[in-house]
């Protein structure tokens, strides 16, 4: 085939790779061998397209392969689907030279792009992102300055923590003190092993209400009874507060969550507590 | 299995579009209630289920795992056959996936409303919901991937690339975000990875897949630049998974991770600019004459996305993050992404695809335009007010520390929030406008289905089945 290929490429003034792909497509369409097609082209001739059904060029199957969706004026019955054209019964070694070049131009078929390759690349990037954005930093433990142990919570305080999570307090309150200017005076910075950023987390997502990491440090609210009353009637205790009432909770749950929020959550050295 | 679970061609896409519209309507309603509750905490305060801490997660779960997943799957199932030249690899699996995911998201959200929550943002579903839902989320990924691998078309159009990224990204983010027994800073990181990935990669990829298909189809113009589209694609996939931690700037994240997020946040902006430029040039001179609802909403969605991407990029810088972290600034971004850019691009896609699937033309172009205006103004203003409130709050907290006039807790905190409460009130009002947009959209799609003028149904004539699609 190589001699015909070179000759065809020279005759068509096109790259051999392109000519070979076109010849394969033309051979498939016409029912001839690739060699025969190349031989015809290298001799300056053409290859007649395969005979189409009586419906004419409009039902040529090649457009269907490139545009699988057909939109008709009415719901399309099955019979309008283009059928594959029958192959032309050509002599084994002869080539029909009939139409001028422009009527049987080489078919340019796009190179097949690898679906597997694309999917693998996408998955690779997604996994890389998971490794860099989650796995590596999670296993590294963040930037440790010094480790402060979590204090043990009493049974009532543990119950309160569960109520805190169940009621979604973290959607309005944080328990995460950062080393930034806005968090100065809130208390010691939250570290990577703090209870608030364990499973289940209580670190919260935004501050519609204040940070509750070190509530115990604030004299005015260090009293669990004050917190309990505030949760029942927030606007009466503190005007203009955005705290909604949790009076619908049982007395038991209210007492528990109040005990939790004022609890000593960290085992801090005396000068820091 | 096909005979037990009949699935005509395009039935999967049609069902998921309907589901996305339904989830959006309900999710938007809960979002309005949450916004009102934020501004007026005393309203309905005797009902546990009407608390902000219930309404917010209910609305977000409906909007993300209900509307977002249904929209993403609808785009995948509609575009894949048209871009690959063959029917979906397994139609019956799509039916099972549809029924299962709708049921699980509905039940899961109900558990959140009842207080059976884990406290992790967007990962509130209990484990017995998480596991089957994750497996069902893999169905679109498998079906689309297998259809792509066995396709008859040689080239892979850009929309198909975005679809492939979206169908695999969604389950990955869901998986990471719901992994149990993670300790220490990993708990925070899994949350930021998931939420950030959903907002900056998964949903935008879905919207871009739809946009790159709808715009050339509706305008009749060829895509302006494939290299530009693919460049934006790879940038989005690379950057979109590693910027979530920007949300908690200054937290106990590793410093190198924050630096990474700051740099890659710019990648989000690059991807948004790439598609905006590409679509703008694809429109060409038709921009001023673009009147179809599909084109209008798609274009509006891309502009919205451009602004949101810029805001996400800004968040990556420590000077910004240290001010606005833990304020409602991020809440505004969530609203802008979910109810703004995603809804607009979903609307554009739906107005293009749904009439072709059901054989009915859009019920009213005027109503569609009204939907676009209500969404743009309502969501835009709501997000803006929340972000302004966040900026004010953050700056006030810094000022309090600097001047020593107030403490950022107790009475001092209440006083600091007094400056931003009017913003919450305004956001509540404009959220009603946004919700009206969602309702109008839902009604227009419903009326299209039931009362639209008869038109041609787009029938798949694929190479592999000779056109027999029933």
């Amino acid at each position: 085939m190589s001699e015909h290929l070179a000759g065809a490429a020279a005759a068509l003034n096109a790259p051999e790779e392109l000519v070979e792909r076109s010849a394969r497509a033309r051979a498939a369409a016409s029912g001839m061998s690739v060699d025969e097609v190349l031989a015809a082209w290298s001799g300056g001739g053409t290859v007649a397209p395969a005979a189409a059904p009586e419906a004419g060029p409009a039902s040529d199957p090649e457009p269907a392969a490139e545009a699988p969706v057909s939109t008709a004026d009415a719901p399309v019955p099955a019979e309008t689907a283009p059928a594959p054209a029958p192959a032309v019964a050509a002599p084994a070694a002869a080539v029909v030279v009939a139409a001028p070049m422009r009527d049987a131009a080489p078919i340019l078929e796009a190179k097949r792009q690898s679906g597997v390759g694309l999917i693998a690349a996408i998955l690779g990037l997604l996994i890389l992102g998971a490794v860099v954005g989650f796995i590596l930093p999670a296993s590294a433990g963040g930037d440790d300055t010094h480790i402060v142990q979590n204090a043990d919570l009493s049974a009532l305080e543990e119950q309160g923590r569960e109520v805190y999570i169940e009621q979604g307090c973290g959607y309005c309150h944080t328990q995460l003190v950062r080393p930034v200017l806005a968090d100065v005076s809130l208390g010691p910075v939250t570290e990577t092993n703090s209870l608030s950023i364990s499973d289940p987390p209580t670190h919260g997502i935004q501050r519609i209400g204040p940070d509750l990491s070190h509530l115990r440090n604030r004299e005015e609210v260090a009293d669990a009874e004050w917190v309990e009353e505030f949760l029942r009637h927030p606007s009466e205790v503190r005007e203009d507060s955005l705290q909604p009432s949790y009076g619908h909770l049982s007395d038991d749950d209210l007492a528990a969550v109040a005990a939790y929020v004022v609890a000593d959550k960290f085992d801090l050295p005396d000068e820091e507590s | 299995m096909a005979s037990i679970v009949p699935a005509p061609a395009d039935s999967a896409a049609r069902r998921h579009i309907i589901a996305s519209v339904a989830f959006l309507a309900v999710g938007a309603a809960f979002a309005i209630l949450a916004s009102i509750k934020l501004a007026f905490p005393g309203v309905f305060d005797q009902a546990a289920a009407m608390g902000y801490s219930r309404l917010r997660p209910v609305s977000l779960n409906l909007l993300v795992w209900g509307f977002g997943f249904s929209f993403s799957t609808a785009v995948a199932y509609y575009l894949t056959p048209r871009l690959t030249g063959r029917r979906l690899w397994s139609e019956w699996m799509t039916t099972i996936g549809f029924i299962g995911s709708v049921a699980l998201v509905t039940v899961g959200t109900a558990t959140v409303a009842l207080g059976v929550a884990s406290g992790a943002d967007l990962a509130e579903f209990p484990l017995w919901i998480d596991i089957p839902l994750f497996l069902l989320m893999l169905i679109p990924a498998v079906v689309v991937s297998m259809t792509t691998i066995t396709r008859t078309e040689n080239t892979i159009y850009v929309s198909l690339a975005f679809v492939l990224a979206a169908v695999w990204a969604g389950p990955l983010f869901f998986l990471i975000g719901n992994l149990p027994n993670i300790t220490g800073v990993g708990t925070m990181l899994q949350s930021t990875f998931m939420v950030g990935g959903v907002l900056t990669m998964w949903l935008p990829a879905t919207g871009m897949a739809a946009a790159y298909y709808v715009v050339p189809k509706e305008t009749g113009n060829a895509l302006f630049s494939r290299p530009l589209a693919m460049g934006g694609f790879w940038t989005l996939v690379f950057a979109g998974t590693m910027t979530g931690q920007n949300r908690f700037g200054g937290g106990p994240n590793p410093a190198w991770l924050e630096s990474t997020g700051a740099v890659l946040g710019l990648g989000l902006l690059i991807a948004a600019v790439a598609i905006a430029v590409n679509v703008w040039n694809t429109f060409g001179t038709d921009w001023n004459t673009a009147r179809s609802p599909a084109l209008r909403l798609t274009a509006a969605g891309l502009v919205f996305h451009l602004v949101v991407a810029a805001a996400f990029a800004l968040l990556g810088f420590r000077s910004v993050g240290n001010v606005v972290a833990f304020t409602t600034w991020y809440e505004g971004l969530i609203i802008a992404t979910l109810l703004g850019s995603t809804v607009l691009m979903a609307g554009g896609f739906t107005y293009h695809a749904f009439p072709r699937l059901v054989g009915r033309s859009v019920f009213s172009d005027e109503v569609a335009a009204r939907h676009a205006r209500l969404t743009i103004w309502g969501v835009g203003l709501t997000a803006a007010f929340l972000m302004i409130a966040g900026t004010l709050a953050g700056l006030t907290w810094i000022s309090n520390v600097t001047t020593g006039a107030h403490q950022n807790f107790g009475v001092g905190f209440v006083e600091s929030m007094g400056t931003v409460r009017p913003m919450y009130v305004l956001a509540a009002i404009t959220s009603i406008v946004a919700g009206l947009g969602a309702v109008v959209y839902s009604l227009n799609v419903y009326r299209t289905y039931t009362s639209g003028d008869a038109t041609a149904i787009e029938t798949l004539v694929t190479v592999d089945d000779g056109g027999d699609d029933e």
Side-chain angles (χ1 to χ4, degrees):
Chain A
M1 177 168 80
S2 60
E3 58 187 76
H4 292 308
L5 177 60
L12 296 170
N13 194 26
E16 285 188 13
E17 185 193 338
L18 202 67
V19 171
E20 184 182 356
R21 278 167 36 203
S22 298
R24 290 187 189 283
R26 176 57 65 187
S30 63
M32 302 170 64
S33 72
V34 176
D35 266 351
E36 288 167 341
V37 172
L38 287 171
W41 288 349
S42 64
T46 60
V47 176
E54 290 183 4
S59 64
D60 189 306
E62 290 161 354
E66 294 160 1
V69 175
S70 69
T71 305
D73 291 331
V76 179
E79 61 265 23
T80 64
V88 174
V95 169
V96 176
V97 178
M101 186 70 170
R102 62 177 179 274
D103 293 334
I107 299 170
L108 181 63
E109 197 166 286
K111 210 170 175 182
R112 188 169 178 84
Q113 294 173 313
S114 170
V116 173
L118 177 63
I119 294 167
I122 290 170
L123 284 175
L125 276 180
L126 291 176
I127 292 170
L128 174 68
V131 168
V132 173
F134 169 61
I135 296 172
L136 266 181
S139 55
D143 278 346
D144 292 334
T145 51
H146 62 272
I147 300 297
V148 175
Q149 295 300 316
N150 297 312
D152 291 330
L153 297 177
S154 67
L156 182 66
E157 290 160 0
E158 281 286 357
Q159 179 191 343
R161 185 166 186 264
E162 288 174 16
V163 175
Y164 185 94
I165 292 168
E166 185 185 289
Q167 296 301 316
C169 301
Y171 294 114
C172 295
H173 292 279
T174 60
Q175 288 186 32
L176 201 155
V177 180
R178 302 163 297 154
V180 298
L181 195 54
D183 289 7
V184 168
S185 81
L186 291 184
V189 170
T190 300
E191 295 172 346
T192 58
N193 292 319
S194 296
L195 187 63
S196 65
I197 51 174
S198 294
D199 183 28
T202 56
H203 57 72
I205 60 168
Q206 60 187 351
R207 290 175 188 164
I208 311 297
D211 184 89
L212 301 178
S213 303
H214 305 287
L215 207 61
R216 192 174 188 78
N217 299 344
R218 304 163 198 169
E219 286 180 12
E220 60 192 87
V221 295
D223 190 318
E225 286 181 9
W226 184 95
V227 172
E228 205 176 320
E229 184 59 22
F230 177 64
L231 290 176
R232 277 204 185 90
H233 309 288
S235 55
E236 291 173 17
V237 173
R238 184 159 277 164
E239 202 179 351
D240 295 334
S241 171
L242 288 173
Q243 172 69 45
S245 168
Y246 279 85
H248 54 268
L249 291 180
S250 67
D251 291 344
D252 200 33
D253 281 347
L254 270 177
V257 74
Y260 166 70
V261 295
V262 300
D264 213 352
K265 301 179 185 67
F266 301 95
D267 228 357
L268 296 169
D270 286 339
E271 60 269 21
E272 287 182 295
S273 43
Chain B
M1 193 69 185
S3 59
I4 301 172
V5 185
D10 276 341
S11 61
R14 190 167 52 243
R15 289 174 187 149
H16 281 92
I17 287 177
I18 293 171
S20 73
V21 172
F23 275 121
L24 172 63
V26 180
F30 278 100
I32 294 172
L33 290 175
S35 191
I36 291 171
K37 198 63 182 156
L38 180 66
F40 306 103
V43 174
F44 308 125
D45 65 356
Q46 292 308 311
M50 293 301 289
Y52 176 77
S53 57
R54 298 279 177 91
L55 293 171
R56 181 192 180 276
V58 165
S59 68
L60 284 191
N61 278 286
L62 285 171
L63 289 172
V64 172
W65 307 121
F67 160 67
F69 178 64
S70 297
F71 166 50
S72 179
T73 310
V75 169
Y77 289 159
Y78 181 81
L79 295 188
T80 301
R82 286 157 178 77
L83 298 175
T84 58
R86 59 154 295 171
R87 284 186 62 170
L88 292 176
W89 180 70
S90 173
E91 298 273 2
W92 67 264
M93 283 178 72
T94 66
T95 301
I96 291 173
F98 168 74
I99 295 170
S101 62
V102 168
L104 286 172
V105 169
T106 304
V107 171
T109 308
T111 65
V112 175
L114 294 172
V116 183
S118 66
D121 203 16
L122 275 187
E124 289 93 349
F125 292 164
L127 205 56
W128 53 271
I129 293 279
D130 289 338
I131 295 173
L133 184 55
F134 168 70
L135 293 174
L136 290 172
M137 289 180 78
L138 286 176
I139 289 178
V142 170
V143 168
V144 171
S145 297
M146 291 306 297
T147 310
T148 302
I149 291 169
T150 57
R151 70 190 190 281
T152 58
E153 285 292 315
N154 284 338
T155 55
I156 296 178
Y157 182 60
V158 295
S159 284
L160 189 57
F162 278 100
V163 163
L164 283 166
V167 293
W168 282 107
L172 174 72
F173 295 133
F174 186 83
L175 172 68
I176 297 285
N178 287 283
L179 286 174
N181 303 321
I182 303 294
T183 58
V185 72
T187 309
M188 182 191 302
L189 289 168
Q190 76 176 138
S191 173
T192 56
F193 176 82
M194 178 183 69
V195 177
V198 163
L199 298 175
T200 62
M201 196 251 143
W202 179 42
L203 293 177
T206 300
M208 290 179 187
Y212 274 128
Y213 182 85
V214 168
V215 173
K217 276 287 192 180
E218 290 272 337
T219 60
N221 299 332
L223 181 66
F224 172 67
S225 169
R226 179 187 166 87
L228 182 60
M230 292 308 293
F233 167 73
W234 290 116
T235 306
L236 180 71
V237 176
F238 180 66
T241 54
M242 291 185 265
T243 55
Q245 65 281 1
N246 295 349
R247 182 182 192 183
F248 293 149
N253 304 313
W256 63 263
L257 189 63
E258 292 193 1
S259 302
T260 305
V263 173
L264 292 179
L266 295 173
L268 302 177
L269 187 56
I270 291 170
V273 169
I275 186 171
V277 168
N278 217 349
V279 167
W280 176 269
N281 284 283
T282 301
F283 263 107
T285 55
D286 294 333
W287 176 260
N288 290 327
T289 59
R291 290 287 179 254
S292 79
L295 277 177
R296 293 178 138 205
L297 269 86
T298 300
L302 288 173
V303 171
F304 228 94
H305 175 66
L306 190 58
V307 175
V308 169
F312 272 116
L314 208 58
L315 187 62
F317 296 103
R318 288 190 178 88
S319 54
V320 175
N322 289 350
V323 174
V324 301
F326 295 127
T327 69
T328 52
W329 205 85
Y330 200 88
E331 204 72 358
L333 281 187
I334 293 175
I335 297 293
T337 304
L338 278 180
L339 288 174
S341 54
T342 306
V343 165
L344 287 168
M345 288 195 273
F349 166 75
T350 300
Y351 284 133
H352 172 83
F354 197 62
R356 289 165 171 77
L357 291 173
V358 300
R360 303 267 188 184
S361 53
V362 175
F363 177 71
S364 169
D365 284 4
E366 280 307 309
V367 173
R370 197 173 305 145
H371 156 227
R373 283 194 295 272
L374 288 169
T375 299
I376 291 168
W377 284 104
V379 175
L381 286 174
T382 301
F385 288 135
L386 288 174
M387 293 173 76
I388 291 171
T391 307
L392 285 175
L395 290 174
T396 303
W397 297 339
I398 290 173
S399 167
N400 285 348
V401 170
T402 307
T403 63
H406 299 287
Q407 300 287 346
N408 285 329
F409 54 83
V411 173
F413 186 88
V414 174
E415 289 182 355
S416 74
M417 296 310 282
T419 62
V420 303
R421 189 167 180 181
M423 293 293 134
Y424 293 166
V425 175
L426 289 171
I429 295 169
T430 53
S431 73
I432 296 172
V433 176
L436 277 175
V439 170
V440 164
Y441 166 59
S442 305
L443 286 175
N444 204 18
V445 173
Y446 172 75
R447 295 300 294 271
T448 296
Y449 192 42
T450 59
S451 315
D453 293 336
T455 185
I457 292 179
E458 191 176 76
T459 304
L460 290 180
V461 181
T462 55
V463 176
D464 61 348
D465 60 12
D468 182 8
D469 61 350
E470 292 277 347

